[in-house]
Amino acid sequence: MTQQTVARRGGLGIAEALQLPVMFDVWPTVGDALGIGRTATYSLAKEDALPIPTIRVGRQLRARRSDLLNFLGIREENGDGAGVAAPTPLAERTTATTGK
């Protein structure tokens, strides 16, 4: 097992996620973030079953940093100026009281 393989199995940390370029290759980044391997990552992407949208650019399969950060619940404070806010958790949206 190579050192690079060992490093990848540690997952994707918050600092690493915030340092990603605006668009990146689906593998290994999305696979690392989800804790799945190369074959599973590409299989899910082919079935449109990854939790973030993918974009085909020629033969490359790419993803957007903002989509990955939103999925991971990471707020981008001083990123590229896009001002991406973390999504509101589903529990907060469904348990809010209505003004009836």
Side-chain angles (χ1 to χ4, degrees), residues 5-14 16-17 28-36:
T5 304
V6 172
R8 282 190 182 156
R9 292 187 187 204
L12 181 70
I14 293 173
E16 292 171 310
T29 309
V30 175
D32 283 350
L34 300 177
I36 58 177

Side-chain angles (χ1 to χ4, degrees), residues 14 17 26 29 31 43 81 83 92 96-97 99-100:
I14 293 173
V26 167
T29 309
S43 292
E92 288 181 22
T97 58
K100 289 185 179 180

Side-chain angles (χ1 to χ4, degrees), residues 13-84:
I14 293 173
E16 292 171 310
L18 290 170
Q19 295 298 318
L20 289 171
V22 174
M23 288 192 83
F24 49 87
D25 291 330
V26 167
W27 175 257
T29 309
V30 175
D32 283 350
L34 300 177
I36 58 177
R38 179 180 180 269
T39 303
T41 300
Y42 283 118
S43 292
L44 290 171
K46 183 178 180 181
E47 297 168 7
D48 199 26
L50 281 174
I52 63 171
T54 58
I55 302 159
R56 183 157 298 282
V57 180
R59 294 184 65 194
Q60 296 179 339
L61 196 56
R62 313 275 289 172
R64 288 186 293 255
R65 177 182 62 212
S66 59
D67 292 332
L68 181 61
L69 293 179
N70 281 334
F71 172 74
L72 296 174
I74 299 171
R75 176 174 237 120
E76 188 172 14
E77 297 293 333
N78 293 319
D80 60 1
V84 177

